[in-house]
Amino acid sequence: MHPLVDAPALERLLRRDPPPILLDVRWHLAGPPGAESYRKGHLPGAVFVDLDRDLAGPPGPAGRHPLPEPEAFEAAMRRAGVSGAAQVIVYDDADSTAAARLWWTLRYFGHEQVRVLDGGYHGWVEGGREVTTDVPAPAPGDFVARPGRLPVLDAAGAAALAGDGVLLDARAAERYRGENEPVDPVAGHIPGAVNAPTSGNVGVDGRFLPPELLRERFAKLGATDALDVGAYCGSGVTAAHEILALTIAGVPAALYVGSWSNWVADPSNPVATGEN
């Protein structure tokens, strides 16, 4: 299944019986809670999923957004009406940063039929499509979490990949270089990692670049399907966006879920600054 769906195609899917399950996962790192955006308007039938509560475990040495426990994630998805046989469409505001984390987490825990609404909520409403403030009460789903269905990295694996393969740092360039670190206590990057900000995966409208342009972008950074590839960011959210973009480009890649927030929790891990 292609990981993306556009708004016109989603309209057609929603007319089917049964329609796909819609999950709204709007989230802002340094802004108002996504639930506020959801209450102001969302796609008809969409259920809100909280990234911090439902898609991550408690913050700590494992990172700011470590993987949730399988039981907790399974319960959250069942509350949202997710069943194993149903197609799931996830979306956020526009650029799929948060939606990619939900896409990746569902895939990691074994759900195969997951797609991201390309362009998100903004792409839906720009065509005059219907939105609502009604909050649905979905029937409980039967989703069963089966972890390990996508590759992951720990700190040691990320360090090894930076030397033997290609490790992409999905953060903004100034954070990679160590010039600015607004969240974590140490600035810089994993030695050997290559900077690939997720902003380069999408156009100004928040939609992903075509597969051929993404392949070209990643190939210039050394990331192709001929090498082992991984990605990290600050806490494993925007790096999931990188994994989604790599998937669209046809490049398999592993996610370092703990990312920089896990890396710097161990003072023995080396830190690089600058362009290399």
Side-chain angles (χ1 to χ4, degrees), residues 165-166 168 194 216-229:
V166 179
L168 299 177
V194 179
E216 181 180 343
R217 178 189 191 224
F218 290 123
K220 288 179 179 178
L221 297 169
T224 72
D225 60 2
L227 296 170
D228 290 332
V229 178

Side-chain angles (χ1 to χ4, degrees), residues 8 13 43 52 104-105 133 148 200 202 206 209 227:
L13 289 173
L43 274 64
D52 294 311
W104 185 91
T105 309
T133 57
V202 297
L209 300 179
L227 296 170

Side-chain angles (χ1 to χ4, degrees), residues 127-143:
R129 298 176 181 88
E130 179 184 3
V131 297
T132 184
T133 57
D134 295 338
V135 177
D142 63 8
F143 173 69

Side-chain angles (χ1 to χ4, degrees), residues 14-40:
L14 291 173
R15 291 194 289 267
R16 293 184 180 180
D17 186 21
I21 296 162
L22 288 177
L23 300 180
D24 181 314
V25 65
R26 281 178 281 180
W27 173 82
H28 314 97
L29 178 61
E36 292 184 10
S37 299
Y38 175 81
R39 286 192 291 267
K40 292 176 182 178

Side-chain angles (χ1 to χ4, degrees), residues 172-274:
E174 60 271 16
R175 292 183 71 187
Y176 170 84
R177 293 192 297 263
E179 298 167 357
N180 178 39
E181 181 45 66
V183 185
D184 293 305
V186 179
H189 61 267
I190 297 173
V194 179
N195 192 213
T198 54
S199 58
N201 296 331
V202 297
V204 294
D205 58 0
R207 292 179 174 87
F208 280 93
L209 300 179
E212 61 273 15
L213 292 184
L214 289 172
R215 281 194 294 272
E216 181 180 343
R217 178 189 191 224
F218 290 123
K220 288 179 179 178
L221 297 169
T224 72
D225 60 2
L227 296 170
D228 290 332
V229 178
Y232 78 97
C233 58
S235 68
V237 175
T238 54
H241 189 279
E242 197 95 295
I243 299 295
L244 177 53
L246 286 159
T247 300
I248 296 166
V251 180
L255 176 64
Y256 179 15
V257 182
S259 284
W260 187 245
S261 57
N262 168 247
W263 182 266
V264 298
D266 183 348
S268 70
N269 283 331
V271 171
T273 56

